[in-house]
Amino acid sequence: MDKLTALFNKQKVFHKPAVQERIRLLKNLKSEIKQHEKDILQALAHDLHKSEQEAYTTEIGMVYEEINHTVKHLHKWAKPSRAKTPLTHIGSKSMIMKEPYGSVLIIAPWNYPFQLAISPLVGAISAGNAVTLKPSELTPQVSKVIGMIVERVFKEEHAAVVEGGVDVSTELLKLPFDYIFFTGSVAVGKVVMEAAAKHLTPVTLELGGKSPCIVMPDADIKLTAKRITFGKFTNAGQTCIAPDYLLVHESIKEDLLLEMTTCIRDFYGDQPETHPHFGKNVSQRHFDRLSQFLSNGTIVTGGQRNEQELKIAPTILDHITWEDPVMQEEIFGPILPVMTFDSLHKAADMVKARPKPLALYLFTTSKETEVYILDNLSFGGGCINDTLMHVATPYLPFGGVGESGMGRYHGKESFFTFTHEKSVLRQTNRFDFSFRYPNAKNGLEIVRKFFK
């Protein structure tokens, strides 16, 4: 692990580049990604069986959007900003300087292994940091491509990729980085935060949890079914913001499930577990874990397994209770448990009784219902009458709350996540207020007039 320490020491003394240089590097990064699009797509197909359309849309296209947005606005974000000065500080000027934290560690997950590695990298570089990027060992081909791209764009002391397993992550977390950005499970997030606490290192934790999807009786059933099916089964359900369970009003449950069954067949055919556009579970361990959930409740559709390719067909489970194993952890796979409610208040109470989710989706045409849910439920982010799409805009900050994470990024928020805002007061020398000093005559009386 001496190599890790040597790399850390190199990056620790790295001098932040000027804004124009950061823009040049981000443009070079985009150019390099474009040159290796085919390699990225092939790696994603190998590691996760992602189709070209899904891979480009959710991995490469989102990165392009992130880079374009950052390049366009970086000069404005990085510029020192003026702050107001109170009467007590008359004659002085206040400003906020934007400086990088310094050395940053980014630990990326396997479910969107390209996008969730490069997007935070863009934020860290835009702020002027040096970056050590640790991609997931569960997607080795993607990790190799990321390493090649980063090596071609950046000097090692500026940004470098470190491959390896849990042992490498453990060693990296022992080093006193200035900032840590982690995307992954709640359990590992706690390990990361504990390690960071030893050095008082600030962290962003992008975690997960059980994200509800609430469907009201006034929802457009056909469109709702299509959008839930898309959001749940994209990337074979291995999406941190996928609808984890369905809360549907009892009066429309049968109609909605029938429409979703039709959508699944339209999207992935009669045998989704063999369909080339339907992804695989990342490992045998995950496949086995998910397979155990298939005995919960009653299978409405799906349940077929292709163990050779580690695929489980999109599955809907009905007659589920909160005590079932499938409701005890984040599913992170192509299985959707269904529960019903008979009033909006009861649906909200069910969500409130559990840890705050990373995402929440509500399908309704009622403004009153929308306002009630948004005012009464806490969650990281979400959509009204859609799924997943809030994560695809650089204008909306993305992040969790409570157990689903802390901190946020995307667009402007990515820059500020990796930026320390340094407050500076420039005081005048033309005059001085003597009443602030200990020996001032009537000093207290004057101070009381200012702070009354």
Side-chain angles (χ1 to χ4, degrees):
M1 297 301 174
D2 289 343
K3 290 183 178 179
L4 298 181
T5 303
L7 174 62
F8 172 81
N9 290 334
K10 268 187 183 181
Q11 295 190 339
K12 198 70 175 175
V13 297
F14 177 74
H15 184 70
K16 72 172 182 180
V19 173
Q20 196 57 45
E21 174 64 7
R22 300 177 215 170
I23 291 175
R24 184 188 71 81
L25 288 166
L26 291 174
K27 288 181 176 179
N28 287 352
L29 176 61
K30 180 182 176 182
S31 176
E32 203 66 37
I33 293 170
K34 280 192 170 293
Q35 289 182 43
H36 293 282
E37 268 188 15
K38 185 177 179 181
D39 296 324
I40 299 166
L41 292 170
Q42 288 177 345
L44 288 166
H46 178 276
D47 288 343
L48 291 166
H49 287 195
K50 290 197 181 192
S51 70
E52 187 169 329
Q53 177 180 343
E54 182 179 303
Y56 186 90
T57 302
T58 63
E59 302 261 15
I60 299 174
M62 287 182 66
V63 167
Y64 287 158
E65 179 68 12
E66 194 74 22
I67 293 174
N68 293 342
H69 185 80
T70 301
V71 166
K72 181 178 179 180
H73 297 283
L74 186 54
H75 274 295
K76 180 180 179 181
W77 297 341
K79 187 179 180 181
S81 55
R82 293 286 296 271
K84 290 185 177 180
T85 301
L87 184 62
T88 53
H89 292 59
I90 192 168
S92 65
K93 294 181 179 180
S94 302
M95 69 175 67
I96 301 171
M97 309 290 292
K98 318 294 172 46
E99 69 176 22
Y101 276 102
S103 58
V104 168
L105 172 63
I106 296 173
I107 301 178
W110 54 262
N111 59 326
Y112 291 89
F114 186 77
Q115 186 246 126
L116 293 180
I118 302 300
S119 286
L121 174 68
V122 170
I125 294 298
S126 73
N129 296 279
V131 182
T132 295
L133 173 59
K134 166 63 176 66
S136 174
E137 68 278 11
L138 294 179
T139 47
Q141 295 302 313
V142 177
S143 295
K144 287 180 181 178
V145 175
I146 291 173
M148 174 188 65
I149 290 172
V150 170
E151 186 176 14
R152 290 169 70 97
V153 176
F154 300 97
K155 295 179 180 178
E156 186 181 54
E157 60 268 26
H158 191 181
V161 171
V162 175
E163 295 186 68
V166 175
D167 57 329
V168 173
S169 296
T170 300
E171 292 302 315
L172 285 169
L173 288 170
K174 292 178 182 178
L175 298 170
F177 285 93
D178 296 308
Y179 201 95
I180 296 174
F181 188 103
F182 170 79
T183 305
S185 69
V186 173
V188 180
K190 292 178 180 179
V191 174
V192 171
M193 193 169 184
E194 182 178 3
K198 293 177 181 178
H199 302 292
L200 295 181
T201 300
V203 297
T204 290
L205 301 177
E206 298 295 345
L207 307 178
K210 298 190 77 65
S211 297
C213 181
I214 303 172
V215 184
M216 299 300 294
D218 60 352
D220 181 324
I221 299 296
K222 284 184 178 290
L223 193 56
T224 296
K226 185 184 294 186
R227 290 175 176 175
I228 294 174
T229 301
F230 162 78
K232 177 60 184 180
F233 301 114
T234 291
N235 198 29
Q238 299 168 126
T239 304
C240 61
I241 55 169
D244 193 87
Y245 62 98
L246 183 61
L247 279 178
V248 56
H249 193 275
E250 59 187 16
S251 66
I252 59 166
K253 184 188 78 170
E254 299 302 329
D255 290 341
L256 179 63
L257 297 189
L258 183 62
E259 284 294 337
M260 289 185 66
T261 299
T262 300
C263 287
I264 291 171
R265 186 171 60 251
D266 290 345
F267 287 1
Y268 305 113
D270 292 326
Q271 293 181 299
E273 73 278 10
T274 63
H275 197 283
H277 291 172
F278 186 68
K280 73 170 186 175
N281 302 117
V282 72
S283 68
Q284 185 71 47
R285 182 174 70 85
H286 284 276
F287 178 86
D288 292 342
R289 178 183 64 86
L290 292 167
S291 295
Q292 295 176 8
F293 295 146
L294 297 176
S295 61
N296 293 187
T298 304
I299 293 178
V300 175
T301 186
Q304 305 97 316
R305 302 187 308 148
N306 181 343
E307 187 163 6
Q308 184 177 356
E309 293 190 8
L310 300 180
K311 289 187 176 185
I312 298 174
T315 302
I316 298 175
L317 299 177
D318 197 3
H319 305 119
I320 293 295
T321 70
W322 291 106
E323 287 70 42
D324 285 315
V326 74
M327 295 305 296
Q328 304 310 306
E329 60 182 87
E330 183 178 6
I331 297 168
F332 223 67
I335 300 171
L336 182 63
V338 179
M339 289 184 287
T340 60
F341 62 90
D342 57 12
S343 75
L344 178 62
H345 294 79
K346 287 184 180 179
D349 288 343
M350 284 190 272
V351 176
K352 275 185 185 179
R354 279 138 194 103
K356 296 175 182 179
L358 180 58
L360 182 143
Y361 305 109
L362 172 66
F363 287 84
T364 182
T365 54
S366 165
K367 186 67 177 177
E368 291 75 15
T369 298
E370 176 183 331
V371 169
Y372 179 83
I373 291 295
L374 295 181
D375 283 352
N376 286 278
L377 294 180
S378 178
F379 53 94
C383 303
I384 309 298
N385 295 319
D386 208 346
T387 60
L388 306 190
M389 297 305 291
H390 65 292
V391 79
T393 165
Y395 297 98
L396 285 177
F398 175 76
V401 59
E403 282 194 16
S404 61
M406 62 179 67
R408 54 190 189 174
Y409 73 122
H410 285 183
K412 180 180 180 180
E413 295 299 329
S414 288
F415 172 81
F416 282 99
T417 284
F418 293 103
T419 294
H420 167 60
E421 295 187 84
K422 183 167 61 180
S423 299
V424 177
L425 180 80
R426 183 181 291 116
Q427 186 61 274
T428 181
N429 287 332
R430 289 179 297 161
F431 54 85
D432 190 30
F433 290 119
S434 60
F435 62 79
R436 71 177 186 173
Y437 300 112
N439 61 347
K441 185 179 180 181
N442 301 323
L444 178 58
E445 288 79 1
I446 298 174
V447 169
R448 283 185 183 277
K449 289 181 180 179
F450 277 107
F451 298 110
K452 58 184 178 180

